[in-house]
Amino acid sequence: MKLKALLAGAIALGLTGAAFADGHEKTKVGFVYVGPIGDGGWTYQHDQGRLAVEEAYGDKVETVYQENVPEGADAERVITQMALGGADIIFTTSFGYMDPTNNVAAKFPDVKFEHATGFKREHPNVSTYDARFYEGRAVTGTIAGHMTETNKIGYIASFPIPEVIQGINSSFLHARKVNPDVEMVVTWAYTWFDPAKEADAARAMIDQGVDVILQHTDSTAPSAAAQEANENGGRVFTFGQASDMYAFAPNPRIASIIDDWAPYYVKRVGELMDGTYEQTVSWGGMPEGEVVIGEITAEVPAEVKAEAEAMIAAITDGSYHPFTGPINKQDGTPWLADGEVADDGTLLGMNFYVEGLTGDIPN
Amino acid sequence: MDLSAISPTLLIASLMVAATPILLAALGEMVVEKAGVLNLGVEGMMIMGAVTGFIAAIETGSVTAGFVAAMVGGAVMALLFGFLTQVLLSNQVATGLALTLFGLGLSSLLGQGYVGIKVDSLSRIDLGPLSDIPFFGRVVFGHDPIVYVSVALTVAVWAFLKFTRGGLILRAVGESHEAAHALGYHVRRVRLLAIAFGGACAGLGGAYLTLVRVPQWTEGMTAGAGWIALALVVFASWKAGRVLIGAYLFGGITVLQLNLQTAGAKVPVELLSAAPYLVTILVLVLISRRAGRGGDAPASLGKPFHAST
């Protein structure tokens, strides 16, 4: 009985989909968020993208969103609800929504689904998208290498997944490039978001002489811990993560890596409206405007800032790839020959440290 | 691996800071349970204290006002629980769980406009030359006032329960509410007072997170500290001194594992991350084996009381 009702709903939706194709209706765009839009990080940035869609298309679109959706069975219910509610395209913005998104997509073939940071596209109406955060980390790594005086930089890592390992390798490679003495300390927090633990991790690093902290967790707590240390006579720098975190500038926050989803959302909704929409696998970066470096503050010397900006320009115009050989793996075996550029397949499955990094990646 | 990079002084100093929120919440909960009430809503009361304390500190510009507001916020939440369980005689376990869920939701609603704002945190008390004594200076004299409050409160709770008439009445109510009632004590009143005290302590612990340890407001930031505080009370077999030891042990291992990782210790990271929980469980098992009589739980713990029965 339930299945019948669902099917009826799907058919009804198919009809409204057809009506929409004739241009009689507003395009309805749905967003499913893992956190609150006020988290100041990941979800906040996705919501900024939603607002950009509204601004770009005005009356022609209607957006709906749902915050704090747990990854799991609840997600499937929320996505189904959104599809039944007449959404034409639904963006699900967390890795854990991968299976729920594909499950719901099977039941609503006329609704388009877009899953962030996933790799499963089991149905023709499912696309995936992600951003090349490692491009931004090359820039922050360069700044970190120049700014450290103790030659010890820290990286607060979340989970041992390829995206984070790309980030660690990219920042380390570029810090070493400008400062051969630099050492990187990686601390695994095993969380995306736990302010107290992130603050403790930052403090442990500061106590052990780390003076530049990069983070791959979402709260501003490490910046707050660094600020406290600076007020007590320390000299510690941090970077904003996912969003700008400008509240902690100019000291300790000296730059930031920002996820800007607006260009992608505007493009995809636009394609849906003019009928050119196709299933895609998107992995945009600086050239697409999806990875942005926030303002580099005056704490950073002018020549370092210029070097960072040159790198941003080179990555943006495609003349530089952060993973360009010669690069060896941690155990010394060659990975990339001189001038060779890493292929996306290796990057997407990255599970090794590059030469010079100490410690092991947890399994 | 460079273990010499870990400074024992700073390690002990930061473990005291890491332990303070759970110590405060656990002390409050211990008094509540001593009075025979099981309040599982510690997490909810903590996060309400965290958000009300933060809002008050931002709005008034005074961190002290923030801590006072947090205690009031936690106590109000606790009295809601008290009203439901003591007056309306609702089930304590279910009501406590509901209190946690309610607190998490309400705090995120209240805190919506306060995300990403900074608060001027409490500075460490400057005791001049005392703070300059090697090792002890930083460990004993180099903290913010709340760390001392939490230690003083541990002593006060211990002394109150052990030596005072009020403490005796409270324990009597927890051990046998019918006997206490027959002797003419106001069981419900004593329990409500204990519940309010527990809420105030949890609120203070929560505010310590938002005003000192992090210091900012983000949704869901207690991240399970309230549940650890609850476990700690059992772990400590309802003794104030052991609550202190347990909190420092837990806080210590949390901080130590992060320090070990930073120092590059060749220990699997997964093991380090799970260490605080593993050690807590281990000690819990050892203690209960030694006690060998179902622990020292107050006899009337969790049982509803009504004067007519």
Side-chain angles (χ1 to χ4, degrees):
Chain A
M1 193 61 214
K2 223 173 190 176
L3 189 71
K4 257 186 188 166
L6 214 62
L7 280 172
I11 292 163
L13 248 140
L15 292 175
T16 56
F20 139 76
D22 296 336
H24 291 317
E25 251 185 58
K26 282 184 177 184
T27 306
K28 193 163 180 178
V29 187
F31 292 85
V32 182
Y33 300 140
V34 71
I37 57 174
D39 69 352
W42 180 258
T43 294
Y44 172 81
Q45 287 300 131
H46 282 284
D47 199 57
Q48 292 298 305
R50 177 184 70 85
L51 296 174
V53 169
E54 281 193 342
E55 190 169 336
Y57 301 112
D59 287 346
K60 287 189 279 183
V61 293
E62 180 191 349
T63 65
V64 288
Y65 65 91
Q66 179 80 47
E67 297 173 271
N68 286 323
V69 178
E71 298 177 334
D74 269 356
E76 195 157 331
R77 188 177 54 76
V78 168
I79 301 167
T80 306
Q81 194 64 41
M82 230 172 230
L84 286 173
D88 300 300
I89 181 166
I90 297 173
F91 294 92
T92 55
T93 65
S94 188
F95 185 78
Y97 298 149
M98 184 153 67
D99 290 324
T101 304
N102 280 285
N103 294 346
V104 179
K107 295 180 208 149
F108 297 92
D110 293 317
V111 180
K112 308 297 180 202
F113 293 86
E114 296 257 350
H115 179 236
T117 72
F119 54 79
K120 280 191 191 166
R121 294 165 295 277
E122 290 170 354
H123 309 285
N125 55 337
V126 181
S127 296
T128 54
Y129 62 104
D130 201 346
R132 295 175 188 267
F133 303 117
Y134 66 85
E135 295 181 345
R137 307 234 175 242
V139 178
T140 52
T142 303
I143 299 174
H146 279 296
M147 295 302 282
T148 179
E149 279 179 359
T150 59
N151 290 331
K152 249 181 139 175
I153 61 179
Y155 198 105
I156 303 176
S158 46
F159 294 96
I161 58 171
E163 183 206 314
V164 177
I165 295 164
Q166 287 159 25
I168 293 168
N169 283 333
S170 180
S171 358
F172 175 73
L173 281 172
H174 291 85
R176 261 273 161 102
K177 203 172 262 180
V178 298
N179 180 353
D181 297 327
V182 85
E183 270 180 53
M184 184 182 264
V185 169
V186 180
T187 299
W188 296 94
Y190 277 94
T191 177
W192 285 111
F193 183 81
D194 180 346
K197 194 167 188 186
E198 293 170 49
D200 285 342
R203 287 202 187 99
M205 286 179 172
I206 295 167
D207 289 348
Q208 293 190 32
V210 167
D211 65 348
V212 181
I213 297 174
L214 300 144
Q215 66 179 91
H216 215 127
T217 50
D218 290 341
S219 90
T220 52
S223 286
Q227 188 169 44
E228 185 197 337
N230 291 351
E231 279 160 9
N232 292 317
R235 179 190 175 277
V236 183
F237 298 112
T238 61
F239 296 87
Q241 156 74 12
S243 69
D244 199 42
M245 302 188 179
Y246 198 74
F248 294 92
N251 182 17
R253 174 217 166 278
I254 46 174
S256 62
I257 170 167
I258 303 175
D259 314 344
D260 188 355
W261 303 101
Y264 184 75
Y265 289 159
V266 170
K267 182 179 117 200
R268 293 298 272 169
V269 173
E271 285 171 354
L272 187 66
M273 290 164 85
D274 64 23
T276 56
Y277 185 95
E278 275 176 6
Q279 181 183 34
T280 56
V281 181
S282 167
W283 201 21
M286 286 186 168
E288 292 81 7
E290 291 177 24
V291 176
V292 177
I293 297 295
E295 191 195 323
I296 300 168
T297 63
E299 298 281 322
V300 179
E303 65 271 18
V304 176
K305 187 177 174 181
E307 190 180 337
E309 278 165 353
M311 182 177 279
I312 297 170
I315 294 174
T316 305
D317 69 20
S319 57
Y320 179 68
H321 189 290
F323 290 105
T324 304
I327 302 174
N328 292 343
K329 294 187 182 180
Q330 189 181 26
D331 57 9
T333 55
W335 172 35
L336 296 174
D338 195 5
E340 192 187 347
V341 168
D343 64 281
D344 281 359
T346 313
L347 290 180
L348 284 169
M350 198 169 224
N351 59 357
F352 57 87
Y353 279 155
V354 294
E355 195 170 39
L357 274 166
T358 52
D360 299 319
I361 299 172
N363 300 311
Chain B
M1 174 162 60
D2 182 17
L3 287 183
S4 61
I6 302 178
S7 145
T9 320
L10 291 175
L11 186 70
I12 295 173
S14 55
L15 84 83
M16 290 172 80
V17 169
T20 296
I22 42 177
L23 171 60
L24 284 165
L27 272 179
E29 178 65 14
M30 193 192 87
V31 171
V32 177
E33 293 189 12
K34 274 284 187 191
V37 179
L38 183 63
N39 184 356
L40 296 181
V42 181
E43 179 89 359
M45 300 187 298
M46 268 186 102
I47 196 145
M48 278 302 288
V51 74
T52 48
F54 190 77
I55 293 173
I58 291 286
E59 296 301 334
T60 63
S62 152
V63 179
T64 314
F67 281 115
V68 173
M71 289 166 71
V72 174
V76 169
M77 281 291 281
L79 284 175
L80 184 66
F81 169 86
F83 176 74
L84 290 169
T85 57
Q86 302 306 306
V87 180
L88 302 183
L89 298 181
S90 68
N91 180 295
Q92 291 181 9
V93 171
T95 312
L97 291 173
L99 192 70
T100 288
L101 295 175
F102 176 63
L104 287 170
L106 186 62
S107 66
S108 87
L109 183 69
L110 289 175
Q112 265 182 354
Y114 293 88
V115 175
I117 302 179
K118 281 185 301 177
V119 64
D120 284 326
S121 150
L122 276 187
S123 53
R124 291 201 284 263
I125 293 181
D126 190 6
L127 292 170
L130 281 181
S131 311
D132 297 332
I133 304 172
F135 189 73
F136 286 105
R138 182 69 184 86
V139 171
V140 183
F141 300 111
H143 291 288
D144 57 81
I146 304 296
V147 171
Y148 300 113
V149 168
S150 67
V151 176
L153 196 65
T154 312
V155 177
V157 164
W158 168 74
F160 171 78
L161 289 174
K162 196 167 170 71
F163 298 119
T164 67
R165 186 179 161 77
L168 193 63
I169 295 170
L170 187 129
R171 284 189 288 142
V173 165
E175 290 298 336
S176 170
H177 47 220
E178 271 153 27
H181 177 66
L183 287 172
Y185 296 120
H186 298 276
V187 173
R188 191 192 283 170
R189 191 185 302 163
V190 169
R191 286 189 170 167
L192 282 172
L193 283 172
I195 290 169
F197 175 78
C201 287
L204 191 62
Y208 190 76
L209 280 174
T210 42
L211 295 178
V212 181
R213 189 152 164 238
V214 174
Q216 61 184 1
W217 164 251
T218 16
E219 242 176 64
M221 66 179 297
T222 46
W227 297 110
I228 293 165
L230 267 170
L232 207 59
V233 177
V234 184
F235 169 99
S237 48
W238 294 270
K239 289 189 172 62
R242 289 192 191 166
V243 169
L244 180 84
I245 295 168
Y248 280 12
L249 189 64
F250 191 87
I253 294 165
T254 308
V255 172
L256 181 67
Q257 72 95 354
L258 290 169
N259 270 284
L260 281 175
Q261 279 201 52
T262 306
K266 291 265 180 247
V267 185
V269 176
E270 299 90 330
L271 197 64
L272 288 178
S273 280
Y277 304 95
L278 292 176
V279 171
T280 308
I281 292 170
L282 189 73
V283 178
L284 201 64
V285 169
L286 290 177
I287 282 184
S288 56
R289 269 192 63 178
R290 204 187 57 189
R293 50 194 161 98
D296 307 301
S300 295
L301 182 59
K303 291 182 187 150
F305 171 76
H306 193 265
S308 64
T309 56

